[in-house]
Amino acid sequence: MPSYAIIGASRGIGLEYVRQLAAKHNSLVFAIVRDPSSPYLQPVLAEHSNVHIVQADVTDPHSVQRAAMQVSDTSGRSLDVLIHNAARTDMQWNLRGFNDYRDLDELDAHFLDSFKVNTLGVVHGIHAFIPLLRRGIAKKIIVLNTEGASVSLTLRSGAADVAAYCTTKAAAAMVTAKYAAALSKEGFIVASIAPGVVDTSATAADDTAVKTFQQIVERMAEAGFQPKLLTPAQSVAKQLEVIEGLTPDMNGALVSNAGDVIPY
C-alpha cells in the first residue's frame, strides 16, 4: 500500500493531490493542514476512507513533529512519498517589489514571515518525516516551487515584483538541493516541481486572492509570457506523472510539470 503525506492540503493544488492520490488503488493518504475543519477537505474525507487529516503548522517544528508521529502510528512507521505544498500565499502582499513597501520595517516583517513558511517550513517538514521515509519504498520528497525562483528567468523577464515570494522560494530550492545531496546515498530522490500557472480560484481564501491571481497573469503577459492556465486537476495529473518518472539524475533539480529541468 503506497503511502503519501501532503503538507499544505486544505485547498488548491494540495487539495487536488489528496483527491487524485486517494483515488489510486490501495493508497494511504495523509493531508497535513493547519485547519482540519477545512470545508474543502470534508467531502474528500467522506468519500475516501484512505484519507487521514493531520493538523500541523509548518512554522512550528514541534507541531510538524507531532504530525509525523501521528502518521507513523497509522502508516506502520513508514512513508513512501512526502509532498510539501505549504506556502505563504497572502496575495495582498505577494505582488510587491522592494520599492512597494511603506518602509524597510514593513519589508523586513513580510520577508521574515515569508521565509518562515516558504523556506524554514520546508526544512521542518522534511526533517520531521525523514525517519518514516527511510523505512518507505519509494523514498521520494517533492517540494512545490515556482519558475519564479529561477534567477535566469527573472533576468529574462525583467520581473522585479513578487520579491518576497520568489526570493524565499529560491531559498527553498536550495534547501531541496541540500537535502538531495545529503540523502542521495540512501536512495532518496528529492526534487522541486513548478506546477505551472494554476487557477485555484475555486478554493481561494477570498476575492482578493482571485483578483491578485488575475493581476499576476496580466503581468506575465506584459512581460512577454503567454502562460497556459491549468486547473488544479490538470496540473496535479501532470505532476504525478513527473513524480512517478523521477530518476536519480534529477535529484535536487527544479523541474516543470512536463518534467523539464528549469535552470536556476
Side-chain angles (χ1 to χ4, degrees), residues 109-149:
H110 183 222
F111 266 69
L112 289 172
D113 285 345
S114 298
F115 187 81
K116 288 177 182 177
V117 178
N118 297 343
T119 309
L120 286 178
V122 176
V123 177
H124 298 160
I126 295 176
H127 178 79
F129 283 93
I130 279 178
L132 301 185
L133 290 159
R134 283 193 168 111
R135 300 187 188 99
I137 296 174
K139 291 184 172 60
K140 290 183 178 180
I141 300 173
I142 308 301
V143 178
L144 272 288
N145 208 300
T146 172
E147 293 185 1

PDB file of all heavy atoms in Angstrom, residues 109-149:
ATOM      1  N   ALA A 109       9.450  42.651   7.868  1.00  0.00           N
ATOM      2  CA  ALA A 109       8.424  41.811   8.502  1.00  0.00           C
ATOM      3  C   ALA A 109       7.822  40.840   7.503  1.00  0.00           C
ATOM      4  O   ALA A 109       7.635  39.652   7.807  1.00  0.00           O
ATOM      5  CB  ALA A 109       7.342  42.691   9.118  1.00  0.00           C
ATOM      6  N   HIS A 110       7.521  41.321   6.283  1.00  0.00           N
ATOM      7  CA  HIS A 110       6.930  40.446   5.271  1.00  0.00           C
ATOM      8  C   HIS A 110       7.916  39.390   4.801  1.00  0.00           C
ATOM      9  O   HIS A 110       7.566  38.216   4.654  1.00  0.00           O
ATOM     10  CB  HIS A 110       6.439  41.270   4.081  1.00  0.00           C
ATOM     11  CG  HIS A 110       5.764  40.454   3.036  1.00  0.00           C
ATOM     12  ND1 HIS A 110       5.960  40.644   1.695  1.00  0.00           N
ATOM     13  CD2 HIS A 110       4.903  39.407   3.138  1.00  0.00           C
ATOM     14  CE1 HIS A 110       5.249  39.761   1.010  1.00  0.00           C
ATOM     15  NE2 HIS A 110       4.599  39.008   1.857  1.00  0.00           N
ATOM     16  N   PHE A 111       9.171  39.790   4.579  1.00  0.00           N
ATOM     17  CA  PHE A 111      10.173  38.828   4.136  1.00  0.00           C
ATOM     18  C   PHE A 111      10.411  37.748   5.184  1.00  0.00           C
ATOM     19  O   PHE A 111      10.537  36.567   4.855  1.00  0.00           O
ATOM     20  CB  PHE A 111      11.492  39.546   3.804  1.00  0.00           C
ATOM     21  CG  PHE A 111      11.638  39.914   2.362  1.00  0.00           C
ATOM     22  CD1 PHE A 111      10.841  40.901   1.802  1.00  0.00           C
ATOM     23  CD2 PHE A 111      12.553  39.278   1.547  1.00  0.00           C
ATOM     24  CE1 PHE A 111      10.962  41.249   0.471  1.00  0.00           C
ATOM     25  CE2 PHE A 111      12.687  39.612   0.207  1.00  0.00           C
ATOM     26  CZ  PHE A 111      11.888  40.606  -0.340  1.00  0.00           C
ATOM     27  N   LEU A 112      10.474  38.136   6.452  1.00  0.00           N
ATOM     28  CA  LEU A 112      10.714  37.148   7.502  1.00  0.00           C
ATOM     29  C   LEU A 112       9.541  36.191   7.658  1.00  0.00           C
ATOM     30  O   LEU A 112       9.737  34.982   7.832  1.00  0.00           O
ATOM     31  CB  LEU A 112      11.004  37.857   8.827  1.00  0.00           C
ATOM     32  CG  LEU A 112      12.366  38.560   8.906  1.00  0.00           C
ATOM     33  CD1 LEU A 112      12.459  39.398  10.173  1.00  0.00           C
ATOM     34  CD2 LEU A 112      13.503  37.547   8.850  1.00  0.00           C
ATOM     35  N   ASP A 113       8.316  36.713   7.575  1.00  0.00           N
ATOM     36  CA  ASP A 113       7.144  35.839   7.642  1.00  0.00           C
ATOM     37  C   ASP A 113       7.136  34.863   6.467  1.00  0.00           C
ATOM     38  O   ASP A 113       6.799  33.681   6.629  1.00  0.00           O
ATOM     39  CB  ASP A 113       5.857  36.673   7.634  1.00  0.00           C
ATOM     40  CG  ASP A 113       5.600  37.363   8.965  1.00  0.00           C
ATOM     41  OD1 ASP A 113       6.240  36.978   9.967  1.00  0.00           O
ATOM     42  OD2 ASP A 113       4.777  38.292   9.000  1.00  0.00           O
ATOM     43  N   SER A 114       7.497  35.359   5.289  1.00  0.00           N
ATOM     44  CA  SER A 114       7.541  34.502   4.100  1.00  0.00           C
ATOM     45  C   SER A 114       8.634  33.448   4.235  1.00  0.00           C
ATOM     46  O   SER A 114       8.445  32.285   3.865  1.00  0.00           O
ATOM     47  CB  SER A 114       7.786  35.352   2.838  1.00  0.00           C
ATOM     48  OG  SER A 114       6.731  36.262   2.635  1.00  0.00           O
ATOM     49  N   PHE A 115       9.791  33.845   4.769  1.00  0.00           N
ATOM     50  CA  PHE A 115      10.895  32.914   4.939  1.00  0.00           C
ATOM     51  C   PHE A 115      10.536  31.788   5.906  1.00  0.00           C
ATOM     52  O   PHE A 115      10.882  30.620   5.683  1.00  0.00           O
ATOM     53  CB  PHE A 115      12.130  33.674   5.439  1.00  0.00           C
ATOM     54  CG  PHE A 115      13.378  32.840   5.498  1.00  0.00           C
ATOM     55  CD1 PHE A 115      14.136  32.597   4.359  1.00  0.00           C
ATOM     56  CD2 PHE A 115      13.818  32.280   6.701  1.00  0.00           C
ATOM     57  CE1 PHE A 115      15.294  31.829   4.411  1.00  0.00           C
ATOM     58  CE2 PHE A 115      14.959  31.517   6.758  1.00  0.00           C
ATOM     59  CZ  PHE A 115      15.698  31.286   5.611  1.00  0.00           C
ATOM     60  N   LYS A 116       9.821  32.136   6.974  1.00  0.00           N
ATOM     61  CA  LYS A 116       9.433  31.123   7.961  1.00  0.00           C
ATOM     62  C   LYS A 116       8.570  30.032   7.334  1.00  0.00           C
ATOM     63  O   LYS A 116       8.697  28.846   7.677  1.00  0.00           O
ATOM     64  CB  LYS A 116       8.683  31.778   9.117  1.00  0.00           C
ATOM     65  CG  LYS A 116       9.565  32.602  10.034  1.00  0.00           C
ATOM     66  CD  LYS A 116       8.724  33.277  11.113  1.00  0.00           C
ATOM     67  CE  LYS A 116       9.590  34.148  12.023  1.00  0.00           C
ATOM     68  NZ  LYS A 116       8.765  34.867  13.034  1.00  0.00           N
ATOM     69  N   VAL A 117       7.682  30.424   6.412  1.00  0.00           N
ATOM     70  CA  VAL A 117       6.794  29.443   5.778  1.00  0.00           C
ATOM     71  C   VAL A 117       7.464  28.784   4.575  1.00  0.00           C
ATOM     72  O   VAL A 117       7.562  27.554   4.487  1.00  0.00           O
ATOM     73  CB  VAL A 117       5.469  30.108   5.344  1.00  0.00           C
ATOM     74  CG1 VAL A 117       4.577  29.083   4.639  1.00  0.00           C
ATOM     75  CG2 VAL A 117       4.745  30.706   6.536  1.00  0.00           C
ATOM     76  N   ASN A 118       7.927  29.607   3.638  1.00  0.00           N
ATOM     77  CA  ASN A 118       8.372  29.096   2.338  1.00  0.00           C
ATOM     78  C   ASN A 118       9.719  28.392   2.371  1.00  0.00           C
ATOM     79  O   ASN A 118      10.000  27.552   1.512  1.00  0.00           O
ATOM     80  CB  ASN A 118       8.440  30.240   1.325  1.00  0.00           C
ATOM     81  CG  ASN A 118       7.091  30.869   1.064  1.00  0.00           C
ATOM     82  OD1 ASN A 118       6.058  30.293   1.378  1.00  0.00           O
ATOM     83  ND2 ASN A 118       7.083  32.061   0.498  1.00  0.00           N
ATOM     84  N   THR A 119      10.566  28.746   3.324  1.00  0.00           N
ATOM     85  CA  THR A 119      11.914  28.159   3.375  1.00  0.00           C
ATOM     86  C   THR A 119      12.098  27.273   4.604  1.00  0.00           C
ATOM     87  O   THR A 119      12.309  26.068   4.482  1.00  0.00           O
ATOM     88  CB  THR A 119      12.980  29.275   3.356  1.00  0.00           C
ATOM     89  OG1 THR A 119      12.726  30.170   2.263  1.00  0.00           O
ATOM     90  CG2 THR A 119      14.366  28.678   3.203  1.00  0.00           C
ATOM     91  N   LEU A 120      11.987  27.872   5.795  1.00  0.00           N
ATOM     92  CA  LEU A 120      12.139  27.058   7.008  1.00  0.00           C
ATOM     93  C   LEU A 120      11.038  26.018   7.119  1.00  0.00           C
ATOM     94  O   LEU A 120      11.263  24.920   7.652  1.00  0.00           O
ATOM     95  CB  LEU A 120      12.142  27.956   8.245  1.00  0.00           C
ATOM     96  CG  LEU A 120      13.413  28.765   8.488  1.00  0.00           C
ATOM     97  CD1 LEU A 120      13.253  29.636   9.727  1.00  0.00           C
ATOM     98  CD2 LEU A 120      14.633  27.868   8.625  1.00  0.00           C
ATOM     99  N   GLY A 121       9.848  26.330   6.602  1.00  0.00           N
ATOM    100  CA  GLY A 121       8.761  25.351   6.627  1.00  0.00           C
ATOM    101  C   GLY A 121       9.127  24.074   5.890  1.00  0.00           C
ATOM    102  O   GLY A 121       8.730  22.969   6.298  1.00  0.00           O
ATOM    103  N   VAL A 122       9.890  24.220   4.802  1.00  0.00           N
ATOM    104  CA  VAL A 122      10.339  23.039   4.048  1.00  0.00           C
ATOM    105  C   VAL A 122      11.307  22.215   4.898  1.00  0.00           C
ATOM    106  O   VAL A 122      11.222  20.983   4.949  1.00  0.00           O
ATOM    107  CB  VAL A 122      11.019  23.468   2.725  1.00  0.00           C
ATOM    108  CG1 VAL A 122      11.565  22.243   1.988  1.00  0.00           C
ATOM    109  CG2 VAL A 122      10.028  24.219   1.845  1.00  0.00           C
ATOM    110  N   VAL A 123      12.216  22.902   5.590  1.00  0.00           N
ATOM    111  CA  VAL A 123      13.156  22.207   6.478  1.00  0.00           C
ATOM    112  C   VAL A 123      12.391  21.447   7.563  1.00  0.00           C
ATOM    113  O   VAL A 123      12.658  20.266   7.821  1.00  0.00           O
ATOM    114  CB  VAL A 123      14.132  23.210   7.124  1.00  0.00           C
ATOM    115  CG1 VAL A 123      15.055  22.482   8.103  1.00  0.00           C
ATOM    116  CG2 VAL A 123      14.951  23.925   6.060  1.00  0.00           C
ATOM    117  N   HIS A 124      11.431  22.126   8.183  1.00  0.00           N
ATOM    118  CA  HIS A 124      10.665  21.488   9.256  1.00  0.00           C
ATOM    119  C   HIS A 124       9.930  20.245   8.758  1.00  0.00           C
ATOM    120  O   HIS A 124       9.902  19.209   9.426  1.00  0.00           O
ATOM    121  CB  HIS A 124       9.653  22.474   9.838  1.00  0.00           C
ATOM    122  CG  HIS A 124      10.274  23.673  10.470  1.00  0.00           C
ATOM    123  ND1 HIS A 124       9.590  24.843  10.681  1.00  0.00           N
ATOM    124  CD2 HIS A 124      11.544  23.885  10.929  1.00  0.00           C
ATOM    125  CE1 HIS A 124      10.396  25.725  11.254  1.00  0.00           C
ATOM    126  NE2 HIS A 124      11.578  25.176  11.409  1.00  0.00           N
ATOM    127  N   GLY A 125       9.317  20.355   7.575  1.00  0.00           N
ATOM    128  CA  GLY A 125       8.552  19.237   7.032  1.00  0.00           C
ATOM    129  C   GLY A 125       9.417  18.043   6.688  1.00  0.00           C
ATOM    130  O   GLY A 125       9.116  16.901   7.071  1.00  0.00           O
ATOM    131  N   ILE A 126      10.510  18.296   5.974  1.00  0.00           N
ATOM    132  CA  ILE A 126      11.377  17.185   5.570  1.00  0.00           C
ATOM    133  C   ILE A 126      12.036  16.548   6.796  1.00  0.00           C
ATOM    134  O   ILE A 126      12.077  15.318   6.929  1.00  0.00           O
ATOM    135  CB  ILE A 126      12.438  17.669   4.567  1.00  0.00           C
ATOM    136  CG1 ILE A 126      11.765  18.115   3.262  1.00  0.00           C
ATOM    137  CG2 ILE A 126      13.458  16.563   4.287  1.00  0.00           C
ATOM    138  CD1 ILE A 126      12.729  18.693   2.234  1.00  0.00           C
ATOM    139  N   HIS A 127      12.527  17.384   7.699  1.00  0.00           N
ATOM    140  CA  HIS A 127      13.208  16.861   8.893  1.00  0.00           C
ATOM    141  C   HIS A 127      12.295  15.933   9.694  1.00  0.00           C
ATOM    142  O   HIS A 127      12.740  14.864  10.159  1.00  0.00           O
ATOM    143  CB  HIS A 127      13.674  18.029   9.771  1.00  0.00           C
ATOM    144  CG  HIS A 127      14.342  17.608  11.045  1.00  0.00           C
ATOM    145  ND1 HIS A 127      15.660  17.181  11.084  1.00  0.00           N
ATOM    146  CD2 HIS A 127      13.877  17.515  12.317  1.00  0.00           C
ATOM    147  CE1 HIS A 127      15.967  16.847  12.320  1.00  0.00           C
ATOM    148  NE2 HIS A 127      14.914  17.038  13.097  1.00  0.00           N
ATOM    149  N   ALA A 128      11.035  16.321   9.844  1.00  0.00           N
ATOM    150  CA  ALA A 128      10.118  15.526  10.669  1.00  0.00           C
ATOM    151  C   ALA A 128       9.808  14.169  10.054  1.00  0.00           C
ATOM    152  O   ALA A 128       9.632  13.176  10.775  1.00  0.00           O
ATOM    153  CB  ALA A 128       8.820  16.311  10.893  1.00  0.00           C
ATOM    154  N   PHE A 129       9.751  14.110   8.715  1.00  0.00           N
ATOM    155  CA  PHE A 129       9.290  12.880   8.065  1.00  0.00           C
ATOM    156  C   PHE A 129      10.418  11.985   7.550  1.00  0.00           C
ATOM    157  O   PHE A 129      10.147  10.872   7.080  1.00  0.00           O
ATOM    158  CB  PHE A 129       8.338  13.228   6.919  1.00  0.00           C
ATOM    159  CG  PHE A 129       6.962  13.610   7.394  1.00  0.00           C
ATOM    160  CD1 PHE A 129       6.636  14.937   7.627  1.00  0.00           C
ATOM    161  CD2 PHE A 129       5.994  12.643   7.638  1.00  0.00           C
ATOM    162  CE1 PHE A 129       5.379  15.298   8.085  1.00  0.00           C
ATOM    163  CE2 PHE A 129       4.739  12.977   8.089  1.00  0.00           C
ATOM    164  CZ  PHE A 129       4.426  14.317   8.320  1.00  0.00           C
ATOM    165  N   ILE A 130      11.657  12.416   7.632  1.00  0.00           N
ATOM    166  CA  ILE A 130      12.763  11.590   7.148  1.00  0.00           C
ATOM    167  C   ILE A 130      12.796  10.206   7.801  1.00  0.00           C
ATOM    168  O   ILE A 130      12.995   9.186   7.105  1.00  0.00           O
ATOM    169  CB  ILE A 130      14.116  12.317   7.318  1.00  0.00           C
ATOM    170  CG1 ILE A 130      14.320  13.296   6.164  1.00  0.00           C
ATOM    171  CG2 ILE A 130      15.276  11.336   7.348  1.00  0.00           C
ATOM    172  CD1 ILE A 130      15.599  14.097   6.257  1.00  0.00           C
ATOM    173  N   PRO A 131      12.608  10.074   9.114  1.00  0.00           N
ATOM    174  CA  PRO A 131      12.649   8.722   9.706  1.00  0.00           C
ATOM    175  C   PRO A 131      11.617   7.774   9.093  1.00  0.00           C
ATOM    176  O   PRO A 131      11.913   6.587   8.892  1.00  0.00           O
ATOM    177  CB  PRO A 131      12.344   8.991  11.185  1.00  0.00           C
ATOM    178  CG  PRO A 131      12.811  10.386  11.426  1.00  0.00           C
ATOM    179  CD  PRO A 131      12.472  11.124  10.164  1.00  0.00           C
ATOM    180  N   LEU A 132      10.422   8.283   8.774  1.00  0.00           N
ATOM    181  CA  LEU A 132       9.402   7.434   8.154  1.00  0.00           C
ATOM    182  C   LEU A 132       9.771   7.126   6.706  1.00  0.00           C
ATOM    183  O   LEU A 132       9.580   5.999   6.229  1.00  0.00           O
ATOM    184  CB  LEU A 132       8.039   8.134   8.198  1.00  0.00           C
ATOM    185  CG  LEU A 132       7.481   8.512   9.568  1.00  0.00           C
ATOM    186  CD1 LEU A 132       6.074   9.091   9.421  1.00  0.00           C
ATOM    187  CD2 LEU A 132       7.459   7.323  10.487  1.00  0.00           C
ATOM    188  N   LEU A 133      10.281   8.129   5.994  1.00  0.00           N
ATOM    189  CA  LEU A 133      10.646   7.943   4.588  1.00  0.00           C
ATOM    190  C   LEU A 133      11.785   6.935   4.438  1.00  0.00           C
ATOM    191  O   LEU A 133      11.859   6.211   3.442  1.00  0.00           O
ATOM    192  CB  LEU A 133      11.036   9.284   3.967  1.00  0.00           C
ATOM    193  CG  LEU A 133       9.877  10.269   3.772  1.00  0.00           C
ATOM    194  CD1 LEU A 133      10.391  11.695   3.649  1.00  0.00           C
ATOM    195  CD2 LEU A 133       9.068   9.892   2.531  1.00  0.00           C
ATOM    196  N   ARG A 134      12.669   6.892   5.408  1.00  0.00           N
ATOM    197  CA  ARG A 134      13.776   5.929   5.355  1.00  0.00           C
ATOM    198  C   ARG A 134      13.260   4.493   5.384  1.00  0.00           C
ATOM    199  O   ARG A 134      13.896   3.589   4.863  1.00  0.00           O
ATOM    200  CB  ARG A 134      14.736   6.152   6.530  1.00  0.00           C
ATOM    201  CG  ARG A 134      15.658   7.351   6.347  1.00  0.00           C
ATOM    202  CD  ARG A 134      16.789   7.349   7.368  1.00  0.00           C
ATOM    203  NE  ARG A 134      17.800   8.322   7.011  1.00  0.00           N
ATOM    204  CZ  ARG A 134      18.040   9.449   7.692  1.00  0.00           C
ATOM    205  NH1 ARG A 134      17.330   9.719   8.787  1.00  0.00           N
ATOM    206  NH2 ARG A 134      18.974  10.277   7.295  1.00  0.00           N
ATOM    207  N   ARG A 135      12.098   4.282   5.987  1.00  0.00           N
ATOM    208  CA  ARG A 135      11.520   2.936   6.051  1.00  0.00           C
ATOM    209  C   ARG A 135      10.576   2.667   4.888  1.00  0.00           C
ATOM    210  O   ARG A 135      10.053   1.561   4.760  1.00  0.00           O
ATOM    211  CB  ARG A 135      10.773   2.765   7.378  1.00  0.00           C
ATOM    212  CG  ARG A 135      11.642   2.930   8.618  1.00  0.00           C
ATOM    213  CD  ARG A 135      10.863   2.570   9.882  1.00  0.00           C
ATOM    214  NE  ARG A 135      11.609   2.902  11.082  1.00  0.00           N
ATOM    215  CZ  ARG A 135      11.429   4.006  11.809  1.00  0.00           C
ATOM    216  NH1 ARG A 135      10.486   4.871  11.456  1.00  0.00           N
ATOM    217  NH2 ARG A 135      12.149   4.235  12.885  1.00  0.00           N
ATOM    218  N   GLY A 136      10.327   3.676   4.047  1.00  0.00           N
ATOM    219  CA  GLY A 136       9.443   3.502   2.899  1.00  0.00           C
ATOM    220  C   GLY A 136      10.159   2.884   1.713  1.00  0.00           C
ATOM    221  O   GLY A 136      11.377   2.667   1.742  1.00  0.00           O
ATOM    222  N   ILE A 137       9.399   2.630   0.677  1.00  0.00           N
ATOM    223  CA  ILE A 137       9.972   2.007  -0.523  1.00  0.00           C
ATOM    224  C   ILE A 137      10.385   3.057  -1.550  1.00  0.00           C
ATOM    225  O   ILE A 137      11.486   3.015  -2.081  1.00  0.00           O
ATOM    226  CB  ILE A 137       8.956   1.029  -1.147  1.00  0.00           C
ATOM    227  CG1 ILE A 137       8.672  -0.119  -0.171  1.00  0.00           C
ATOM    228  CG2 ILE A 137       9.464   0.493  -2.484  1.00  0.00           C
ATOM    229  CD1 ILE A 137       7.581  -1.058  -0.616  1.00  0.00           C
ATOM    230  N   ALA A 138       9.529   4.028  -1.834  1.00  0.00           N
ATOM    231  CA  ALA A 138       9.800   4.997  -2.899  1.00  0.00           C
ATOM    232  C   ALA A 138      10.893   5.986  -2.528  1.00  0.00           C
ATOM    233  O   ALA A 138      11.705   6.378  -3.376  1.00  0.00           O
ATOM    234  CB  ALA A 138       8.522   5.744  -3.258  1.00  0.00           C
ATOM    235  N   LYS A 139      10.900   6.446  -1.283  1.00  0.00           N
ATOM    236  CA  LYS A 139      11.897   7.413  -0.810  1.00  0.00           C
ATOM    237  C   LYS A 139      11.948   8.672  -1.700  1.00  0.00           C
ATOM    238  O   LYS A 139      13.023   9.083  -2.152  1.00  0.00           O
ATOM    239  CB  LYS A 139      13.286   6.773  -0.705  1.00  0.00           C
ATOM    240  CG  LYS A 139      13.413   5.731   0.396  1.00  0.00           C
ATOM    241  CD  LYS A 139      14.844   5.206   0.496  1.00  0.00           C
ATOM    242  CE  LYS A 139      15.020   4.307   1.714  1.00  0.00           C
ATOM    243  NZ  LYS A 139      14.128   3.129   1.689  1.00  0.00           N
ATOM    244  N   LYS A 140      10.788   9.272  -1.906  1.00  0.00           N
ATOM    245  CA  LYS A 140      10.728  10.489  -2.719  1.00  0.00           C
ATOM    246  C   LYS A 140      10.216  11.665  -1.888  1.00  0.00           C
ATOM    247  O   LYS A 140       9.253  11.533  -1.138  1.00  0.00           O
ATOM    248  CB  LYS A 140       9.828  10.286  -3.938  1.00  0.00           C
ATOM    249  CG  LYS A 140      10.427   9.346  -4.978  1.00  0.00           C
ATOM    250  CD  LYS A 140       9.545   9.216  -6.209  1.00  0.00           C
ATOM    251  CE  LYS A 140      10.202   8.298  -7.242  1.00  0.00           C
ATOM    252  NZ  LYS A 140       9.360   8.147  -8.465  1.00  0.00           N
ATOM    253  N   ILE A 141      10.895  12.800  -2.052  1.00  0.00           N
ATOM    254  CA  ILE A 141      10.490  14.042  -1.408  1.00  0.00           C
ATOM    255  C   ILE A 141      10.304  15.086  -2.496  1.00  0.00           C
ATOM    256  O   ILE A 141      11.233  15.367  -3.265  1.00  0.00           O
ATOM    257  CB  ILE A 141      11.535  14.520  -0.393  1.00  0.00           C
ATOM    258  CG1 ILE A 141      11.750  13.470   0.704  1.00  0.00           C
ATOM    259  CG2 ILE A 141      11.123  15.864   0.210  1.00  0.00           C
ATOM    260  CD1 ILE A 141      12.903  13.799   1.651  1.00  0.00           C
ATOM    261  N   ILE A 142       9.102  15.650  -2.556  1.00  0.00           N
ATOM    262  CA  ILE A 142       8.768  16.622  -3.589  1.00  0.00           C
ATOM    263  C   ILE A 142       8.401  17.938  -2.920  1.00  0.00           C
ATOM    264  O   ILE A 142       7.557  17.969  -2.020  1.00  0.00           O
ATOM    265  CB  ILE A 142       7.576  16.139  -4.450  1.00  0.00           C
ATOM    266  CG1 ILE A 142       7.831  14.722  -4.975  1.00  0.00           C
ATOM    267  CG2 ILE A 142       7.296  17.124  -5.562  1.00  0.00           C
ATOM    268  CD1 ILE A 142       9.069  14.579  -5.831  1.00  0.00           C
ATOM    269  N   VAL A 143       9.030  19.024  -3.369  1.00  0.00           N
ATOM    270  CA  VAL A 143       8.733  20.352  -2.838  1.00  0.00           C
ATOM    271  C   VAL A 143       8.143  21.190  -3.971  1.00  0.00           C
ATOM    272  O   VAL A 143       8.791  21.390  -5.002  1.00  0.00           O
ATOM    273  CB  VAL A 143       9.992  21.033  -2.281  1.00  0.00           C
ATOM    274  CG1 VAL A 143       9.655  22.436  -1.769  1.00  0.00           C
ATOM    275  CG2 VAL A 143      10.603  20.194  -1.155  1.00  0.00           C
ATOM    276  N   LEU A 144       6.919  21.650  -3.788  1.00  0.00           N
ATOM    277  CA  LEU A 144       6.294  22.506  -4.797  1.00  0.00           C
ATOM    278  C   LEU A 144       6.987  23.864  -4.795  1.00  0.00           C
ATOM    279  O   LEU A 144       7.166  24.480  -3.742  1.00  0.00           O
ATOM    280  CB  LEU A 144       4.803  22.679  -4.508  1.00  0.00           C
ATOM    281  CG  LEU A 144       3.844  21.635  -5.097  1.00  0.00           C
ATOM    282  CD1 LEU A 144       3.712  21.796  -6.590  1.00  0.00           C
ATOM    283  CD2 LEU A 144       4.286  20.221  -4.752  1.00  0.00           C
ATOM    284  N   ASN A 145       7.366  24.310  -5.986  1.00  0.00           N
ATOM    285  CA  ASN A 145       8.086  25.568  -6.098  1.00  0.00           C
ATOM    286  C   ASN A 145       7.503  26.376  -7.260  1.00  0.00           C
ATOM    287  O   ASN A 145       6.339  26.201  -7.609  1.00  0.00           O
ATOM    288  CB  ASN A 145       9.590  25.321  -6.250  1.00  0.00           C
ATOM    289  CG  ASN A 145      10.417  26.464  -5.704  1.00  0.00           C
ATOM    290  OD1 ASN A 145      10.314  27.595  -6.148  1.00  0.00           O
ATOM    291  ND2 ASN A 145      11.256  26.167  -4.720  1.00  0.00           N
ATOM    292  N   THR A 146       8.279  27.209  -7.877  1.00  0.00           N
ATOM    293  CA  THR A 146       7.801  28.074  -8.952  1.00  0.00           C
ATOM    294  C   THR A 146       8.934  28.410  -9.891  1.00  0.00           C
ATOM    295  O   THR A 146      10.104  28.479  -9.474  1.00  0.00           O
ATOM    296  CB  THR A 146       7.223  29.385  -8.379  1.00  0.00           C
ATOM    297  OG1 THR A 146       6.932  30.292  -9.454  1.00  0.00           O
ATOM    298  CG2 THR A 146       8.209  30.077  -7.448  1.00  0.00           C
ATOM    299  N   GLU A 147       8.605  28.637 -11.160  1.00  0.00           N
ATOM    300  CA  GLU A 147       9.614  29.097 -12.104  1.00  0.00           C
ATOM    301  C   GLU A 147      10.133  30.475 -11.716  1.00  0.00           C
ATOM    302  O   GLU A 147      11.214  30.885 -12.126  1.00  0.00           O
ATOM    303  CB  GLU A 147       9.036  29.108 -13.521  1.00  0.00           C
ATOM    304  CG  GLU A 147       8.731  27.717 -14.059  1.00  0.00           C
ATOM    305  CD  GLU A 147       8.282  27.728 -15.505  1.00  0.00           C
ATOM    306  OE1 GLU A 147       8.226  28.822 -16.095  1.00  0.00           O
ATOM    307  OE2 GLU A 147       7.993  26.644 -16.047  1.00  0.00           O
ATOM    308  N   GLY A 148       9.349  31.202 -10.909  1.00  0.00           N
ATOM    309  CA  GLY A 148       9.784  32.499 -10.425  1.00  0.00           C
ATOM    310  C   GLY A 148      10.977  32.427  -9.495  1.00  0.00           C
ATOM    311  O   GLY A 148      11.592  33.454  -9.181  1.00  0.00           O
ATOM    312  N   ALA A 149      11.340  31.233  -9.039  1.00  0.00           N
ATOM    313  CA  ALA A 149      12.530  31.059  -8.203  1.00  0.00           C
ATOM    314  C   ALA A 149      13.809  31.032  -9.030  1.00  0.00           C
ATOM    315  O   ALA A 149      14.909  31.076  -8.478  1.00  0.00           O
ATOM    316  CB  ALA A 149      12.415  29.769  -7.396  1.00  0.00           C
TER     317      ALA A 149
END
